[in-house]
Amino acid sequence: VSMPSNGFIELNRSYSNQNRNIRDSEVKTERSAFTPLNGYHPLSTDENVYGAINQLEDVKEDVAGFDKIESLTPSSFSSTAVIILCVLIGDMARGVLFPTLWLLILSLGGGKVYQGMAVSAFSAGRIISSPIFGRLSEIYGYKQVLIACNLFIMVGCYVYSMSTSVTSVIISQFIIGFGAGSLGVTRSYVAEKTHRSERTLYMAYMTAVQYAGFTMTPVVGAMLSALAYRSSIDPNNKASLIVVSLNQYTVPALFLMTTSMVAICLLYSVFVDVTRIPPSSTPSASSTLAASTQQSSINDMETEKKYWGWTESDIVAIGGCILNITTKGTIGVFETLGLMYVTSHYHWSSLRSGLTVSCCGTAGVVFLLLFSILLHYFNDLDLVLYGMVTMVLSCLLLTSPLTLTTTSTVPLWQFYSSIILMYSVGYPIGHTALLGVFSKIMKSGPQGQLLGYFGSAGSLARVFFPVLAGVLAEYCGDTVIFIVMAALLIISCAVFVASKEFVRNVISRP
């Protein structure tokens, strides 16, 4: 067994003395560059050779639609690390600003409605950019698109640090959100480099990184803000660091800007992009497999049942986007009202609230890293349902008949229980399993645009529901929105249970 420089595995062995039917055969297979995820190692024994031949059906999926995928090299480890950093930055753009966003808006004369608008602006930017960046990654590869994403985040952070009005804060959030639309790109990288049967597990690993950026970095932002405050930096200072504002409200944004700058340098110097070469005039083993798989996909589309012009796969994809809206909308409500709720009801500091969310998020990350154990006992469809049911309980814990008619609040233990169920169990498990199900609709090839639409659906929820949460909190109290979200989740659970077998049949097709 040898590994030529072009990345193909060439197997050319004779087994006549072992009574096998392999005679001077040459099998060329293309494997993924995503080594840290799929754990692939070059074949080195006869037994592995025999096992590789039995996995040709899996190889057909890996090379579908491509004549060549980037070869296996040591640089794939560093490339994966860069992808992980980009995933972290994409949601750190939201998490690290969480403890100070509300305080900045208050200092500029804004209220709860403007807080909802600022949170929504971030997601509005993501809605627009996610499918665009996803499609561009399918055409031009991943490197240039991820560089552009980080440049947008840097510009948004600069505008945020120089904000003198609530309007400029909202604009900066839109720009940062536009740059954070790389989620579909990074998820496509994972989906393209892993086998469909393993996709939910590896999506869980990447979601753990994403979730760490969203839920664990608030404590970083809170600590940086506290450090700036204790250093007696004037909150109105606009020239402390060259031409950017450096104060307790803007230090987290400058930290995010610096991290994006590091990511751009690594993308230029370390990251090895996927290179796709058009099929050659002489058919190779890989191009023959790709053509066979493409024809099989076409036949599947032709024979798939249609309802009102929509194929079964289309219906599952739309249903997945709707569930994504429901789950993302719920976490968006918690994100919007979280700091306001604990500030007004429990008189917490931004540091304590950021630390609480980070601790719960850490537990959620641990669950995601142990996702393989959960998949051993439950399938991904069951985990979607269990996650949504847990989110329902979390919302109901923040409601009581007393809080509907008075300004009273729920007991502190009840609040802690709600936050733990939402951030540590319900959302990370349910949403990650949903992402794994969605990624199995398309059997092979790059999925940047498809996963971009999935991300845009979630961002749409984070545009609408934070604004709704801010309005209802302003005029109806903090409790009503949690009742609304619990009702939507209950309806989603009922529809999901009714269509569970239909979804299972669609995603399990070969």
Side-chain angles (χ1 to χ4, degrees), residues 335-389:
E335 175 188 359
T336 304
L337 296 183
L339 186 57
M340 290 188 292
Y341 193 90
V342 297
T343 300
S344 60
H345 291 282
Y346 305 116
H347 308 292
W348 286 8
S349 65
S350 61
L351 180 59
R352 182 176 179 181
S353 60
L355 183 61
T356 301
V357 173
S358 296
C359 290
C360 295
T362 302
V365 170
V366 171
F367 269 113
L368 292 174
L369 292 176
L370 300 177
F371 213 75
S372 59
I373 299 176
L374 295 177
L375 289 175
H376 180 72
Y377 294 100
F378 310 100
N379 60 57
D380 42 12
L381 293 177
D382 291 334
L383 291 176
V384 172
L385 180 61
Y386 300 154
M388 290 196 296
V389 170

Short mmCIF file of all heavy atoms in Angstrom, two decimals, residues 335-389:
data_model
loop_
_atom_site.label_atom_id
_atom_site.label_comp_id
_atom_site.label_asym_id
_atom_site.label_seq_id
_atom_site.Cartn_x
_atom_site.Cartn_y
_atom_site.Cartn_z
N GLU A 335 -31.89 35.35 25.56
CA GLU A 335 -30.74 36.24 25.36
C GLU A 335 -31.15 37.70 25.52
O GLU A 335 -30.42 38.50 26.12
CB GLU A 335 -30.15 36.00 23.96
CG GLU A 335 -29.03 36.95 23.59
CD GLU A 335 -28.64 36.81 22.14
OE1 GLU A 335 -29.22 35.96 21.44
OE2 GLU A 335 -27.76 37.56 21.71
N THR A 336 -32.32 38.06 24.97
CA THR A 336 -32.77 39.45 25.01
C THR A 336 -33.15 39.89 26.41
O THR A 336 -32.77 40.98 26.87
CB THR A 336 -33.97 39.65 24.07
OG1 THR A 336 -33.61 39.22 22.75
CG2 THR A 336 -34.40 41.10 24.03
N LEU A 337 -33.91 39.05 27.13
CA LEU A 337 -34.44 39.43 28.44
C LEU A 337 -33.56 39.00 29.61
O LEU A 337 -33.81 39.40 30.74
CB LEU A 337 -35.84 38.84 28.63
CG LEU A 337 -36.93 39.34 27.68
CD1 LEU A 337 -38.26 38.72 28.05
CD2 LEU A 337 -37.03 40.86 27.72
N GLY A 338 -32.54 38.15 29.32
CA GLY A 338 -31.75 37.58 30.41
C GLY A 338 -31.16 38.62 31.34
O GLY A 338 -31.41 38.62 32.56
N LEU A 339 -30.33 39.52 30.78
CA LEU A 339 -29.66 40.51 31.63
C LEU A 339 -30.66 41.49 32.22
O LEU A 339 -30.55 41.89 33.39
CB LEU A 339 -28.60 41.25 30.81
CG LEU A 339 -27.71 42.21 31.60
CD1 LEU A 339 -27.01 41.47 32.72
CD2 LEU A 339 -26.72 42.90 30.69
N MET A 340 -31.67 41.89 31.44
CA MET A 340 -32.69 42.80 31.96
C MET A 340 -33.44 42.17 33.12
O MET A 340 -33.74 42.82 34.13
CB MET A 340 -33.67 43.19 30.85
CG MET A 340 -33.08 44.09 29.78
SD MET A 340 -34.33 44.70 28.63
CE MET A 340 -34.80 43.20 27.80
N TYR A 341 -33.74 40.88 32.99
CA TYR A 341 -34.53 40.18 34.00
C TYR A 341 -33.79 40.11 35.32
O TYR A 341 -34.33 40.46 36.38
CB TYR A 341 -34.87 38.77 33.50
CG TYR A 341 -35.92 38.05 34.30
CD1 TYR A 341 -37.27 38.15 33.98
CD2 TYR A 341 -35.58 37.26 35.40
CE1 TYR A 341 -38.25 37.50 34.72
CE2 TYR A 341 -36.53 36.60 36.14
CZ TYR A 341 -37.87 36.72 35.80
OH TYR A 341 -38.82 36.07 36.54
N VAL A 342 -32.54 39.67 35.29
CA VAL A 342 -31.79 39.52 36.54
C VAL A 342 -31.40 40.87 37.13
O VAL A 342 -31.24 41.00 38.35
CB VAL A 342 -30.54 38.64 36.34
CG1 VAL A 342 -30.94 37.24 35.92
CG2 VAL A 342 -29.60 39.24 35.30
N THR A 343 -31.24 41.88 36.27
CA THR A 343 -30.90 43.22 36.77
C THR A 343 -32.08 43.84 37.50
O THR A 343 -31.93 44.42 38.59
CB THR A 343 -30.47 44.13 35.62
OG1 THR A 343 -29.33 43.57 34.97
CG2 THR A 343 -30.10 45.52 36.14
N SER A 344 -33.27 43.70 36.92
CA SER A 344 -34.45 44.34 37.51
C SER A 344 -35.05 43.54 38.67
O SER A 344 -35.58 44.11 39.62
CB SER A 344 -35.51 44.57 36.44
OG SER A 344 -35.92 43.34 35.85
N HIS A 345 -34.98 42.20 38.60
CA HIS A 345 -35.64 41.37 39.61
C HIS A 345 -34.70 40.92 40.73
O HIS A 345 -35.12 40.79 41.88
CB HIS A 345 -36.25 40.14 38.95
CG HIS A 345 -37.42 40.45 38.06
ND1 HIS A 345 -38.68 40.73 38.54
CD2 HIS A 345 -37.51 40.55 36.71
CE1 HIS A 345 -39.51 40.97 37.53
NE2 HIS A 345 -38.82 40.87 36.42
N TYR A 346 -33.44 40.66 40.39
CA TYR A 346 -32.51 40.14 41.40
C TYR A 346 -31.34 41.09 41.68
O TYR A 346 -30.51 40.79 42.53
CB TYR A 346 -31.96 38.78 40.96
CG TYR A 346 -33.04 37.76 40.65
CD1 TYR A 346 -33.20 37.26 39.36
CD2 TYR A 346 -33.91 37.31 41.63
CE1 TYR A 346 -34.19 36.33 39.06
CE2 TYR A 346 -34.91 36.39 41.34
CZ TYR A 346 -35.04 35.91 40.05
OH TYR A 346 -36.03 35.00 39.76
N HIS A 347 -31.26 42.18 40.92
CA HIS A 347 -30.22 43.20 41.12
C HIS A 347 -28.81 42.63 40.96
O HIS A 347 -27.90 42.95 41.73
CB HIS A 347 -30.38 43.87 42.49
CG HIS A 347 -31.76 44.37 42.76
ND1 HIS A 347 -32.32 45.43 42.08
CD2 HIS A 347 -32.73 43.93 43.62
CE1 HIS A 347 -33.55 45.64 42.50
NE2 HIS A 347 -33.84 44.75 43.44
N TRP A 348 -28.66 41.79 39.96
CA TRP A 348 -27.35 41.22 39.67
C TRP A 348 -26.48 42.21 38.91
O TRP A 348 -26.98 43.04 38.15
CB TRP A 348 -27.49 39.94 38.84
CG TRP A 348 -27.98 38.76 39.61
CD1 TRP A 348 -28.45 38.72 40.88
CD2 TRP A 348 -28.05 37.42 39.14
NE1 TRP A 348 -28.81 37.45 41.24
CE2 TRP A 348 -28.58 36.62 40.18
CE3 TRP A 348 -27.73 36.79 37.93
CZ2 TRP A 348 -28.78 35.25 40.06
CZ3 TRP A 348 -27.93 35.43 37.80
CH2 TRP A 348 -28.45 34.67 38.85
N SER A 349 -25.17 42.04 39.04
CA SER A 349 -24.22 42.80 38.23
C SER A 349 -24.03 42.07 36.89
O SER A 349 -24.39 40.91 36.74
CB SER A 349 -22.89 42.92 38.95
OG SER A 349 -22.28 41.63 39.09
N SER A 350 -23.45 42.78 35.92
CA SER A 350 -23.19 42.16 34.61
C SER A 350 -22.21 41.00 34.75
O SER A 350 -22.30 40.01 34.02
CB SER A 350 -22.65 43.19 33.63
OG SER A 350 -21.43 43.74 34.10
N LEU A 351 -21.27 41.12 35.69
CA LEU A 351 -20.29 40.05 35.88
C LEU A 351 -20.98 38.78 36.37
O LEU A 351 -20.70 37.68 35.88
CB LEU A 351 -19.21 40.49 36.86
CG LEU A 351 -18.12 39.45 37.16
CD1 LEU A 351 -17.40 39.06 35.89
CD2 LEU A 351 -17.13 40.00 38.19
N ARG A 352 -21.89 38.92 37.34
CA ARG A 352 -22.57 37.73 37.88
C ARG A 352 -23.47 37.09 36.82
O ARG A 352 -23.51 35.86 36.70
CB ARG A 352 -23.40 38.11 39.10
CG ARG A 352 -24.10 36.91 39.74
CD ARG A 352 -24.85 37.28 41.01
NE ARG A 352 -25.53 36.13 41.57
CZ ARG A 352 -26.27 36.15 42.67
NH1 ARG A 352 -26.42 37.29 43.35
NH2 ARG A 352 -26.85 35.05 43.12
N SER A 353 -24.18 37.90 36.07
CA SER A 353 -25.06 37.33 35.03
C SER A 353 -24.25 36.64 33.95
O SER A 353 -24.61 35.55 33.48
CB SER A 353 -25.93 38.43 34.43
OG SER A 353 -25.13 39.45 33.84
N GLY A 354 -23.13 37.27 33.53
CA GLY A 354 -22.29 36.64 32.52
C GLY A 354 -21.68 35.35 33.02
O GLY A 354 -21.59 34.36 32.28
N LEU A 355 -21.28 35.32 34.30
CA LEU A 355 -20.70 34.10 34.87
C LEU A 355 -21.74 32.99 34.96
O LEU A 355 -21.43 31.82 34.70
CB LEU A 355 -20.15 34.42 36.26
CG LEU A 355 -19.42 33.28 36.98
CD1 LEU A 355 -18.23 32.82 36.18
CD2 LEU A 355 -19.00 33.71 38.38
N THR A 356 -23.00 33.33 35.29
CA THR A 356 -24.06 32.33 35.38
C THR A 356 -24.33 31.68 34.03
O THR A 356 -24.41 30.45 33.91
CB THR A 356 -25.35 32.97 35.92
OG1 THR A 356 -25.10 33.53 37.21
CG2 THR A 356 -26.46 31.94 36.03
N VAL A 357 -24.47 32.51 33.00
CA VAL A 357 -24.71 31.97 31.65
C VAL A 357 -23.52 31.13 31.20
O VAL A 357 -23.69 30.07 30.58
CB VAL A 357 -24.98 33.12 30.66
CG1 VAL A 357 -25.05 32.60 29.23
CG2 VAL A 357 -26.28 33.84 31.02
N SER A 358 -22.31 31.58 31.52
CA SER A 358 -21.11 30.84 31.10
C SER A 358 -21.03 29.47 31.77
O SER A 358 -20.65 28.48 31.14
CB SER A 358 -19.86 31.66 31.40
OG SER A 358 -19.83 32.85 30.65
N CYS A 359 -21.38 29.41 33.04
CA CYS A 359 -21.36 28.12 33.74
C CYS A 359 -22.37 27.15 33.14
O CYS A 359 -22.07 25.97 32.92
CB CYS A 359 -21.64 28.33 35.23
SG CYS A 359 -20.31 29.15 36.13
N CYS A 360 -23.57 27.65 32.88
CA CYS A 360 -24.58 26.79 32.25
C CYS A 360 -24.15 26.39 30.84
O CYS A 360 -24.35 25.24 30.42
CB CYS A 360 -25.92 27.52 32.18
SG CYS A 360 -26.65 27.87 33.79
N GLY A 361 -23.55 27.32 30.12
CA GLY A 361 -23.06 27.00 28.78
C GLY A 361 -21.95 25.97 28.80
O GLY A 361 -21.85 25.13 27.91
N THR A 362 -21.10 26.03 29.83
CA THR A 362 -20.04 25.03 29.96
C THR A 362 -20.62 23.63 30.10
O THR A 362 -20.13 22.67 29.49
CB THR A 362 -19.16 25.36 31.17
OG1 THR A 362 -18.60 26.66 31.02
CG2 THR A 362 -18.03 24.34 31.31
N ALA A 363 -21.68 23.51 30.91
CA ALA A 363 -22.35 22.21 31.04
C ALA A 363 -22.93 21.76 29.71
O ALA A 363 -22.87 20.57 29.36
CB ALA A 363 -23.45 22.30 32.10
N GLY A 364 -23.49 22.71 28.94
CA GLY A 364 -24.00 22.36 27.62
C GLY A 364 -22.92 21.88 26.68
O GLY A 364 -23.12 20.94 25.90
N VAL A 365 -21.75 22.52 26.73
CA VAL A 365 -20.62 22.08 25.90
C VAL A 365 -20.19 20.67 26.26
O VAL A 365 -19.88 19.86 25.38
CB VAL A 365 -19.45 23.08 26.05
CG1 VAL A 365 -18.19 22.52 25.40
CG2 VAL A 365 -19.80 24.43 25.45
N VAL A 366 -20.18 20.36 27.55
CA VAL A 366 -19.82 19.01 27.99
C VAL A 366 -20.81 17.99 27.42
O VAL A 366 -20.40 16.92 26.92
CB VAL A 366 -19.80 18.93 29.53
CG1 VAL A 366 -19.64 17.48 29.98
CG2 VAL A 366 -18.67 19.79 30.09
N PHE A 367 -22.11 18.30 27.46
CA PHE A 367 -23.10 17.41 26.87
C PHE A 367 -22.83 17.18 25.38
O PHE A 367 -22.94 16.06 24.87
CB PHE A 367 -24.51 17.99 27.06
CG PHE A 367 -25.19 17.55 28.31
CD1 PHE A 367 -25.45 18.46 29.33
CD2 PHE A 367 -25.56 16.22 28.50
CE1 PHE A 367 -26.07 18.06 30.51
CE2 PHE A 367 -26.19 15.82 29.67
CZ PHE A 367 -26.44 16.73 30.67
N LEU A 368 -22.46 18.24 24.67
CA LEU A 368 -22.21 18.11 23.23
C LEU A 368 -20.96 17.29 22.95
O LEU A 368 -20.92 16.52 21.98
CB LEU A 368 -22.08 19.51 22.61
CG LEU A 368 -23.38 20.34 22.58
CD1 LEU A 368 -23.10 21.74 22.07
CD2 LEU A 368 -24.43 19.66 21.72
N LEU A 369 -19.94 17.45 23.78
CA LEU A 369 -18.72 16.66 23.58
C LEU A 369 -18.96 15.18 23.89
O LEU A 369 -18.22 14.32 23.40
CB LEU A 369 -17.61 17.21 24.48
CG LEU A 369 -17.09 18.61 24.11
CD1 LEU A 369 -16.05 19.07 25.13
CD2 LEU A 369 -16.50 18.63 22.70
N LEU A 370 -19.98 14.89 24.69
CA LEU A 370 -20.34 13.50 25.00
C LEU A 370 -21.53 13.03 24.16
O LEU A 370 -22.22 12.08 24.53
CB LEU A 370 -20.68 13.38 26.49
CG LEU A 370 -19.57 13.74 27.49
CD1 LEU A 370 -20.08 13.64 28.91
CD2 LEU A 370 -18.35 12.84 27.29
N PHE A 371 -21.73 13.70 23.03
CA PHE A 371 -22.90 13.41 22.20
C PHE A 371 -22.89 11.98 21.68
O PHE A 371 -23.94 11.39 21.42
CB PHE A 371 -22.96 14.38 21.03
CG PHE A 371 -24.35 14.74 20.61
CD1 PHE A 371 -25.12 15.60 21.36
CD2 PHE A 371 -24.91 14.21 19.46
CE1 PHE A 371 -26.40 15.94 20.99
CE2 PHE A 371 -26.19 14.53 19.08
CZ PHE A 371 -26.94 15.40 19.84
N SER A 372 -21.69 11.41 21.50
CA SER A 372 -21.61 10.03 21.01
C SER A 372 -22.28 9.06 21.97
O SER A 372 -22.87 8.06 21.55
CB SER A 372 -20.15 9.63 20.79
OG SER A 372 -19.42 9.75 22.01
N ILE A 373 -22.20 9.35 23.27
CA ILE A 373 -22.86 8.50 24.26
C ILE A 373 -24.38 8.61 24.13
O ILE A 373 -25.10 7.61 24.18
CB ILE A 373 -22.40 8.88 25.68
CG1 ILE A 373 -20.89 8.67 25.82
CG2 ILE A 373 -23.16 8.06 26.73
CD1 ILE A 373 -20.34 9.10 27.16
N LEU A 374 -24.88 9.82 23.94
CA LEU A 374 -26.31 10.01 23.76
C LEU A 374 -26.81 9.29 22.51
O LEU A 374 -27.88 8.68 22.52
CB LEU A 374 -26.63 11.51 23.67
CG LEU A 374 -26.37 12.35 24.93
CD1 LEU A 374 -26.67 13.82 24.66
CD2 LEU A 374 -27.21 11.84 26.09
N LEU A 375 -26.02 9.37 21.43
CA LEU A 375 -26.43 8.71 20.19
C LEU A 375 -26.39 7.19 20.31
O LEU A 375 -27.00 6.49 19.50
CB LEU A 375 -25.52 9.16 19.04
CG LEU A 375 -25.73 10.61 18.56
CD1 LEU A 375 -24.69 10.97 17.50
CD2 LEU A 375 -27.13 10.79 18.00
N HIS A 376 -25.65 6.69 21.28
CA HIS A 376 -25.61 5.24 21.50
C HIS A 376 -26.94 4.75 22.08
O HIS A 376 -27.35 3.61 21.82
CB HIS A 376 -24.46 4.90 22.45
CG HIS A 376 -24.34 3.43 22.74
ND1 HIS A 376 -23.88 2.53 21.81
CD2 HIS A 376 -24.63 2.71 23.87
CE1 HIS A 376 -23.89 1.31 22.34
NE2 HIS A 376 -24.34 1.40 23.58
N TYR A 377 -27.62 5.60 22.84
CA TYR A 377 -28.88 5.19 23.47
C TYR A 377 -30.11 5.77 22.78
O TYR A 377 -31.20 5.20 22.88
CB TYR A 377 -28.87 5.63 24.94
CG TYR A 377 -27.84 4.91 25.78
CD1 TYR A 377 -26.62 5.53 26.08
CD2 TYR A 377 -28.06 3.62 26.26
CE1 TYR A 377 -25.66 4.88 26.85
CE2 TYR A 377 -27.10 2.98 27.02
CZ TYR A 377 -25.90 3.61 27.32
OH TYR A 377 -24.95 2.96 28.07
N PHE A 378 -29.94 6.90 22.10
CA PHE A 378 -31.07 7.54 21.43
C PHE A 378 -30.68 7.90 20.01
O PHE A 378 -29.50 8.17 19.74
CB PHE A 378 -31.49 8.82 22.17
CG PHE A 378 -31.69 8.66 23.65
CD1 PHE A 378 -30.72 9.04 24.54
CD2 PHE A 378 -32.87 8.12 24.14
CE1 PHE A 378 -30.89 8.91 25.90
CE2 PHE A 378 -33.06 7.96 25.51
CZ PHE A 378 -32.07 8.35 26.39
N ASN A 379 -31.67 7.89 19.10
CA ASN A 379 -31.37 8.40 17.76
C ASN A 379 -31.57 9.90 17.73
O ASN A 379 -32.12 10.50 18.65
CB ASN A 379 -32.24 7.69 16.70
CG ASN A 379 -33.73 7.91 16.94
OD1 ASN A 379 -34.20 9.04 16.99
ND2 ASN A 379 -34.48 6.82 17.08
N ASP A 380 -31.12 10.53 16.64
CA ASP A 380 -31.14 11.99 16.59
C ASP A 380 -32.56 12.56 16.59
O ASP A 380 -32.79 13.65 17.10
CB ASP A 380 -30.35 12.51 15.39
CG ASP A 380 -30.59 11.71 14.14
OD1 ASP A 380 -31.53 10.89 14.12
OD2 ASP A 380 -29.82 11.88 13.18
N LEU A 381 -33.53 11.83 16.05
CA LEU A 381 -34.91 12.31 16.07
C LEU A 381 -35.47 12.35 17.49
O LEU A 381 -36.17 13.29 17.86
CB LEU A 381 -35.79 11.43 15.18
CG LEU A 381 -35.50 11.47 13.68
CD1 LEU A 381 -36.39 10.49 12.93
CD2 LEU A 381 -35.70 12.88 13.13
N ASP A 382 -35.15 11.33 18.27
CA ASP A 382 -35.58 11.33 19.68
C ASP A 382 -34.95 12.49 20.44
O ASP A 382 -35.61 13.14 21.27
CB ASP A 382 -35.21 10.01 20.35
CG ASP A 382 -36.03 8.84 19.83
OD1 ASP A 382 -37.16 9.07 19.35
OD2 ASP A 382 -35.54 7.69 19.88
N LEU A 383 -33.69 12.77 20.16
CA LEU A 383 -33.00 13.85 20.87
C LEU A 383 -33.60 15.21 20.53
O LEU A 383 -33.63 16.11 21.37
CB LEU A 383 -31.50 13.82 20.53
CG LEU A 383 -30.72 12.63 21.10
CD1 LEU A 383 -29.28 12.65 20.62
CD2 LEU A 383 -30.77 12.63 22.63
N VAL A 384 -34.05 15.38 19.28
CA VAL A 384 -34.73 16.63 18.91
C VAL A 384 -35.96 16.83 19.79
O VAL A 384 -36.19 17.91 20.36
CB VAL A 384 -35.14 16.63 17.42
CG1 VAL A 384 -36.02 17.84 17.11
CG2 VAL A 384 -33.90 16.64 16.52
N LEU A 385 -36.75 15.78 19.93
CA LEU A 385 -37.98 15.86 20.73
C LEU A 385 -37.67 16.10 22.20
O LEU A 385 -38.28 16.98 22.85
CB LEU A 385 -38.79 14.57 20.56
CG LEU A 385 -40.11 14.50 21.33
CD1 LEU A 385 -41.05 15.62 20.90
CD2 LEU A 385 -40.76 13.14 21.14
N TYR A 386 -36.73 15.37 22.77
CA TYR A 386 -36.39 15.53 24.18
C TYR A 386 -35.87 16.94 24.46
O TYR A 386 -36.17 17.54 25.51
CB TYR A 386 -35.36 14.49 24.61
CG TYR A 386 -35.81 13.05 24.44
CD1 TYR A 386 -34.89 12.02 24.27
CD2 TYR A 386 -37.16 12.73 24.47
CE1 TYR A 386 -35.31 10.69 24.12
CE2 TYR A 386 -37.59 11.42 24.32
CZ TYR A 386 -36.67 10.41 24.14
OH TYR A 386 -37.09 9.11 23.99
N GLY A 387 -35.08 17.45 23.54
CA GLY A 387 -34.56 18.80 23.72
C GLY A 387 -35.66 19.84 23.75
O GLY A 387 -35.66 20.75 24.60
N MET A 388 -36.64 19.74 22.84
CA MET A 388 -37.74 20.71 22.80
C MET A 388 -38.63 20.60 24.04
O MET A 388 -39.11 21.61 24.55
CB MET A 388 -38.55 20.54 21.51
CG MET A 388 -37.82 20.97 20.27
SD MET A 388 -38.91 21.19 18.83
CE MET A 388 -39.50 19.50 18.62
N VAL A 389 -38.87 19.39 24.51
CA VAL A 389 -39.66 19.22 25.73
C VAL A 389 -38.97 19.89 26.92
O VAL A 389 -39.61 20.55 27.75
CB VAL A 389 -39.91 17.73 26.01
CG1 VAL A 389 -40.53 17.53 27.39
CG2 VAL A 389 -40.83 17.13 24.94
#
